[in-house]
Amino acid sequence: AGAQQSATVANPVSGVSPDLLPHFQLEPEDVYIVKNKAVSLACRATPATQIYFKCNGEWVHQGDHVTQHSTDRGTGLPVMEVRIEVTRQQVEKIFGLEEYWCQCVAWSSSGTTKSQKAFVRIAYLRKNFEQEPTAREVSIEQGIVLPCRPPEGIPPAEVEWLRNEELVDPALDANVYVTPEHSLVLRQARLADTANYTCVAKNIVARRRSTSAAITVYVNGGWSTWTQWSGCSTSCGRGWQKRSRTCTNPTPLNGGAFCEGQNVQKTACTTLCPVDGAWSEWSKWSVCGAECTYWRSRECSEPAPRNGGQECHGPELDTRNCTSELCSHATPGAEDVALYVGLVAVAVCLVLLLLVGVLVYCRKKGGLDADVADSSILTAGFQPVSIKPSKADNPSLLTIQPDLSTATMTYQGSLCPRQDGPAKLQLPNGHLLSPLGAGRHTLHHSSPAAEGADFVARLSTQSYFRSLPRGTTNMAYGTFNFLGGRLMIPNTGISLLIPPDAIPRGKIYEVYLTLHKQEDVRLPLAGCQTLLSPIVSCGPPGVLLTRPAILAMGHCVEASAENWSIRLKKQSCEGTWEDVLQLGAEPCTELYYCQLEAQACYIFTEQLGRFALVGESLSMAASKRLKLVLFAPAACPSLEYNIRVYCLSDTQDVLKEVIQLEKQLGGQLIGAPRVLHFKDSYHNLRLSIHDMPSSLWKSKLLASYQEIPFYHIWSGLQPFLHCTFTLERLSPSTCELACKIWVWQVEGDGQSFTVNFNIAKDTRFSDWLVPDSEVGAPALVGPSAFKIPFLIRQKIISSLDPPGTRGADWRTLAQKLNLDSHLSFFASKPSPTAMILNLWEARHFPNGNLSQLAAAVAEVGKQDSALFAVSEAEC
């Protein structure tokens, strides 16, 4: 057959132009054999004398070709079309060796032309999926990924998804998309997404369906707000009143957890019993008057009506006519004269009293400063709360402090003024502390608890302060003059430093510092913004400060310039929040500046107000610090035992609030707190419990883990986020609990807790809890508020402010204290050295090491012994 074909090829048809090679108008295409049905391959060329197929290097027999001849109407050249059929048996003969292919070869008198190769494949689609979707239970707004890897097939199968037998079209639902790996992704689960999901794979051979995966979107219940307290159960005496709430905010759905806690609260009440009024005895009859009447009276006072009791019935006054012999008609002249004389005497007395009152007021007004608006300043004085004695290990630094051993203190002399000219400060022989001039002034101690209610009451009368807390737990306040001072909210890391001379001389301010609960102050956040610090108020706003005060507070950001854009926000008196500072781009002429450290920030501000630190992530590598804390009941009378895992912003104030909350709930700490770095990766936080002895305990958690949505954590506006693991003892005698709790961010950082303790008597972690008694002095006034003695501070300022030779001035001190990145800000102030010392005071109180500061000052180069010591005579 091969010889015959060669002979045929060698005899071209006559009449064909000798100058043209064959040109293919139709070339064979790739085809698939479905089941046992043969496929057809075709090719067409012009001008062509002969066309034959060649499959896998071998010529196809001439008899297997079906040939058609025609003429091209445009060119008049002959056109030849050839077809062959390929069966499944022909392809299977070489199956596994190589792919089956065919190619056309066309001849003309000028030569030959080959077509493209067409591959013939046997189509198939296997029955079993390589990976099928599985049933899941997810909380609302949680992301869902349903994987699907279709069966092997030729050609590769196309994948589509069905939801309850209806096609899922991502073009019609923005919450749904299909990945290149054929997984179905629901960005945020909705109640409507509860359904059976089926993965369907199909090609030209068959259509396969996976097993259906049931997705249940559940909603955990949440408590509604408490109703108002009901009326007391009794109208007189001791009874009960109650209030209730319902688990409808939201209502648990699809197996979601029911609300934890009680839905009804009861409290004792006492209703005062009503007392009806009763008349007293009648008074004696009056003398007979000019109108020939006399009277007597009585009062409704034995007892007086109270608590809703009825008033007395009957007349209060009884009047009768006098008898004729008792009725006297005296001449009115003498009585009128006596009346007029009495009126004149009363008027003269009133005039004299008024003159005396004016004189006394003028004398008092002249002795007070015109700027003292609150009389409580005169009675409260400067309220120094606690004075620390000078430390023995700092002999070179003499701490000068008044004697506070008595309730009343008297100072004489004048304050040593600061001199900017010479490098050495000449001090006159006078007492260091004379707060109000050269005269004698008395400072009285007073009780902060007694003043708290009065101070808050005064603030509440002003519209701007209506959002301030009404208690004093998260508030500090004090009265300050030019000596300065410090306010601190205990156990929160929040303080306000008022440097000396920040308040103008001759003025006295009542200053407060408040930590706000986030649910009380609405801070709007946009986009990727997140709250990084507590919301703190200091005031009153609008007071005149000649030097910046320093507000210190914690933060939870892992700061880096490439990952974060951090801004300081301040609330205006109208209630709007404004950006007053962007960290890293501080203009030196503004009123605000911020020193951001690893866990705290120090805000320089010349205007008091309400502040918060807000960050916006610039990349998915941006992270916040979370404090993970484990609590459980201190007593467990039932078989159920709850472990609460709190995920908090890593600041002292939030931890303090949670500790106070757990004390009210009767909780105890069962593990050392851990820090987790939570990234801006849109991934949720997962919590799971493992390795419990199944013979002693069992978990009531239905899923393998719990999740806290990403946005609930990232916003920072939900301070007490936590998950509860409910365990059950199989025996009341079981007291030993051993397990592991994992907390991790999907594709991010994670922490594990190894819990191993006795639930009945183990208190090894109680030392982590800050006792209620651990509170410092909330207000320190004058020198007691500063580590650096006042005279030494003034000497350092006057020595280092002027430019020194070889740079021996405040710039070198800033470098020694690692503050050289803020030189431009320090230089913008009248006294750069004062700014450096103020920042040192804010960072190192109360545990700062004065010896290290003295060593840094000595290294500057002005090693004058008078710079570091003050003699007893000077004091």
Side-chain angles (χ1 to χ4, degrees):
Q4 182 181 0
Q5 292 174 26
S6 299
T8 305
V9 170
N11 296 306
V13 177
S14 61
V16 177
S17 174
D19 298 329
L20 297 176
L21 287 173
H23 168 68
F24 283 98
Q25 294 179 343
L26 176 65
E27 297 186 75
E29 300 287 343
D30 295 345
V31 290
Y32 295 95
I33 296 177
V34 179
K35 297 182 179 179
N36 294 321
K37 186 178 180 181
V39 295
S40 177
L41 298 177
C43 63
R44 183 172 61 245
T46 182
T49 58
Q50 293 187 24
I51 301 176
Y52 287 97
F53 272 93
K54 194 176 189 179
C55 294
N56 285 80
E58 296 183 2
W59 293 103
V60 178
H61 194 276
Q62 183 178 3
D64 295 334
H65 292 72
V66 177
T67 306
Q68 291 181 353
H69 295 276
S70 61
T71 302
D72 191 322
R73 295 180 181 181
T75 62
L77 296 176
V79 178
M80 190 175 187
E81 182 174 344
V82 177
R83 293 179 179 273
I84 65 170
E85 286 192 348
V86 180
T87 65
R88 184 184 185 100
Q89 289 76 13
Q90 290 175 276
V91 177
E92 287 179 342
K93 284 181 181 180
I94 63 169
F95 182 74
L97 301 177
E98 59 178 326
E99 288 193 290
Y100 192 92
W101 58 269
C102 293
Q103 184 180 39
C104 281
V105 182
W107 282 266
S108 71
S109 59
S110 300
T112 63
T113 304
K114 295 181 179 180
S115 71
Q116 68 181 9
K117 289 182 179 181
F119 291 90
V120 182
R121 300 179 177 91
I122 299 175
Y124 68 93
L125 182 62
R126 300 195 185 281
K127 292 184 178 181
N128 296 326
F129 281 75
E130 295 184 7
Q131 184 178 10
E132 293 185 290
T134 57
R136 292 184 58 188
E137 293 182 351
V138 296
S139 64
I140 195 167
E141 296 184 354
Q142 178 183 340
I144 306 175
V145 178
L146 293 176
C148 177
R149 292 171 58 191
E152 179 186 351
I154 294 179
E158 297 178 355
V159 173
E160 61 186 18
W161 284 88
L162 302 179
R163 178 197 285 135
N164 289 342
E165 302 304 322
E166 293 184 2
L167 183 65
V168 176
D169 189 356
L172 302 179
D173 189 351
N175 192 47
V176 177
Y177 70 93
V178 179
T179 67
E181 294 79 20
H182 310 301
S183 296
L184 180 67
V185 178
L186 305 180
R187 291 182 172 89
Q188 286 187 327
R190 304 160 299 190
L191 289 176
D193 294 324
T194 299
N196 293 323
Y197 290 83
T198 308
C199 181
V200 178
K202 63 181 180 179
N203 65 3
I204 60 176
V205 178
R207 186 172 186 266
R208 312 290 189 205
R209 292 167 55 96
S210 71
T211 56
S212 295
I215 298 300
T216 302
V217 180
Y218 63 85
V219 178
N220 291 326
W223 289 115
S224 66
T225 57
W226 288 102
T227 62
Q228 297 293 327
W229 286 104
S230 66
C232 201
S233 60
T234 60
S235 59
C236 177
R238 184 175 179 82
W240 296 92
Q241 60 182 158
K242 67 179 181 178
R243 62 177 183 175
S244 62
R245 57 181 179 176
T246 57
C247 190
T248 57
N249 187 30
T251 303
L253 295 174
N254 297 336
F258 197 78
C259 303
E260 295 182 3
Q262 298 177 346
N263 64 337
V264 176
Q265 282 186 346
K266 289 186 176 181
T267 185
C269 59
T270 301
T271 304
L272 298 177
C273 297
V275 176
D276 295 336
W279 291 113
S280 64
E281 296 291 333
W282 286 103
S283 66
K284 294 182 179 181
W285 288 102
S286 67
V287 296
C288 191
E291 293 82 9
C292 293
T293 60
Y294 65 131
W295 52 269
R296 63 177 181 175
S297 64
R298 59 180 178 176
E299 295 180 353
C300 187
S301 59
E302 292 185 5
R306 61 180 183 270
N307 305 329
Q310 295 185 357
E311 295 285 341
C312 300
H313 297 287
E316 184 179 5
L317 188 67
D318 182 18
T319 304
R320 297 182 184 179
N321 292 327
C322 301
T323 58
S324 58
E325 62 272 11
L326 296 178
C327 182
S328 60
H329 299 276
T331 58
E335 293 181 358
D336 292 343
V337 171
L339 176 64
Y340 295 148
V341 171
L343 291 175
V344 171
V346 170
V348 171
C349 292
L350 290 176
V351 171
L352 292 176
L353 288 174
L354 179 62
L355 290 176
V356 171
V358 170
L359 291 175
V360 171
Y361 174 78
C362 291
R363 290 180 61 86
K364 290 186 176 180
K365 188 68 176 179
L368 295 177
D369 191 284
D371 292 310
V372 178
D374 198 327
S375 62
S376 65
I377 299 174
L378 300 177
T379 59
F382 302 114
Q383 306 174 14
V385 179
S386 65
I387 301 298
K388 295 189 174 183
S390 60
K391 297 184 178 180
D393 56 350
N394 296 330
S396 60
L397 296 177
L398 178 60
T399 302
I400 305 173
Q401 297 168 340
D403 180 14
L404 301 181
S405 59
T406 60
T408 304
M409 301 164 291
T410 303
Y411 300 108
Q412 289 181 313
S414 60
L415 183 69
C416 302
R418 175 189 162 195
Q419 301 179 6
D420 297 330
K424 296 181 179 180
L425 184 66
Q426 301 297 328
L427 300 177
N429 292 333
H431 201 285
L432 172 63
L433 298 176
S434 271
L436 297 176
R440 294 177 61 91
H441 304 281
T442 301
L443 306 184
H444 299 276
H445 283 294
S446 60
S447 170
E451 294 183 350
D454 180 63
F455 182 79
V456 175
R458 288 198 299 274
L459 291 179
S460 63
T461 61
Q462 307 179 41
S463 61
Y464 180 76
F465 305 114
R466 288 172 184 167
S467 62
L468 290 178
R470 292 299 180 261
T472 57
T473 303
N474 290 330
M475 171 183 279
Y477 54 90
T479 305
F480 301 90
N481 66 354
F482 71 96
L483 290 175
R486 186 187 306 264
L487 292 175
M488 295 173 291
I489 301 178
N491 305 323
T492 63
I494 299 172
S495 65
L496 178 68
L497 179 74
I498 304 173
D501 291 326
I503 297 176
R505 298 193 176 222
K507 293 185 180 294
I508 300 175
Y509 295 156
E510 277 189 333
V511 182
Y512 65 86
L513 179 65
T514 300
L515 168 63
H516 293 275
K517 293 184 177 180
Q518 295 174 3
E519 59 267 25
D520 297 336
V521 179
R522 184 177 181 274
L523 175 62
L525 298 178
C528 299
Q529 290 183 341
T530 174
L531 181 63
L532 301 175
S533 73
I535 302 175
V536 178
S537 290
C538 55
V543 299
L544 175 64
L545 295 179
T546 58
R547 297 187 181 184
I550 301 179
L551 175 64
M553 57 184 178
H555 66 78
C556 62
V557 63
E558 289 295 308
S560 60
E562 64 273 12
N563 294 334
W564 284 99
S565 172
I566 302 176
R567 289 176 169 84
L568 178 67
K569 285 184 175 287
K570 181 176 183 289
Q571 190 177 30
S572 65
C573 293
E574 291 77 18
T576 58
W577 286 88
E578 302 171 348
D579 293 340
V580 296
L581 180 67
Q582 180 175 356
L583 273 65
E586 294 94 342
C588 299
T589 57
E590 294 294 336
L591 299 174
Y592 309 96
Y593 192 81
C594 182
Q595 156 79 357
L596 188 68
E597 298 188 353
Q599 294 185 336
C601 61
Y602 301 90
I603 301 168
F604 292 78
T605 174
E606 296 182 20
Q607 293 185 353
L608 304 183
R610 185 171 296 164
F611 296 94
L613 206 62
V614 172
E616 183 172 1
S617 64
L618 304 179
S619 72
M620 296 179 68
S623 65
K624 296 173 57 176
R625 293 190 314 276
L626 298 183
K627 180 80 77 175
L628 307 177
V629 192
L630 270 61
F631 281 93
C636 183
S638 65
L639 294 179
E640 283 194 356
Y641 191 73
N642 294 324
I643 297 179
R644 293 180 288 276
V645 184
Y646 287 87
C647 304
L648 315 171
S649 297
D650 186 18
T651 55
Q652 294 183 39
D653 60 293
V654 179
L655 183 60
K656 172 188 174 182
E657 292 287 340
V658 169
I659 290 173
Q660 292 176 348
L661 175 63
E662 281 294 331
K663 285 184 177 179
Q664 297 174 2
L665 297 176
Q668 66 171 341
L669 192 68
I670 63 171
R674 303 284 181 85
V675 174
L676 182 142
H677 294 86
F678 190 77
K679 291 185 177 181
D680 183 19
S681 62
Y682 298 98
H683 288 298
N684 298 338
L685 190 70
R686 292 183 176 178
L687 304 92
S688 61
I689 187 167
H690 308 274
D691 301 342
M692 278 191 308
S694 58
S695 60
L696 301 176
W697 295 86
K698 70 176 182 178
S699 172
K700 290 193 172 184
L701 183 65
L702 299 178
S704 59
Y705 56 83
Q706 301 187 66
E707 277 194 332
I708 300 178
F710 168 82
Y711 290 102
H712 290 183
I713 298 176
W714 190 254
S715 67
L717 297 178
Q718 301 187 35
F720 306 142
L721 286 173
H722 70 280
C723 283
T724 300
F725 292 98
T726 301
L727 312 179
E728 184 176 0
R729 294 184 288 175
L730 301 183
S731 170
S733 61
T734 301
C735 292
E736 296 294 333
L737 174 61
C739 63
K740 285 187 177 180
I741 294 179
W742 285 88
V743 184
W744 76 100
Q745 186 182 18
V746 180
E747 299 183 10
D749 190 18
Q751 288 285 2
S752 66
F753 294 84
T754 299
V755 178
N756 190 351
F757 75 109
N758 187 299
I759 66 175
K761 57 184 179 181
D762 201 332
T763 59
R764 77 183 86 162
F765 296 103
S766 59
D767 293 341
W768 286 87
L769 302 180
V770 179
D772 293 335
S773 59
E774 186 180 339
V775 291
L780 297 174
V781 181
S784 63
F786 304 98
K787 292 286 293 183
I788 307 173
F790 188 82
L791 293 183
I792 295 178
R793 169 189 169 91
Q794 295 300 85
K795 281 195 173 186
I796 295 175
I797 292 173
S798 60
S799 298
L800 299 186
D801 269 352
T805 58
R806 301 187 306 276
D809 54 19
W810 62 269
R811 296 174 180 83
T812 306
L813 178 61
Q815 294 175 355
K816 298 294 183 183
L817 299 178
N818 298 319
L819 300 175
D820 47 328
S821 60
H822 311 298
L823 292 180
S824 57
F825 169 71
F826 297 147
S828 67
K829 300 302 177 183
S831 175
T833 309
M835 294 298 102
I836 295 173
L837 298 181
N838 294 343
L839 181 55
W840 187 93
E841 290 277 7
R843 295 170 67 192
H844 296 91
F845 190 87
N847 300 319
N849 191 326
L850 284 176
S851 298
Q852 294 179 355
L853 177 62
V857 175
E859 291 177 5
V860 171
K862 297 188 175 183
Q863 300 177 354
D864 187 345
S865 60
L867 187 60
F868 312 116
V870 179
S871 66
E872 293 295 337
E874 289 178 312
C875 294

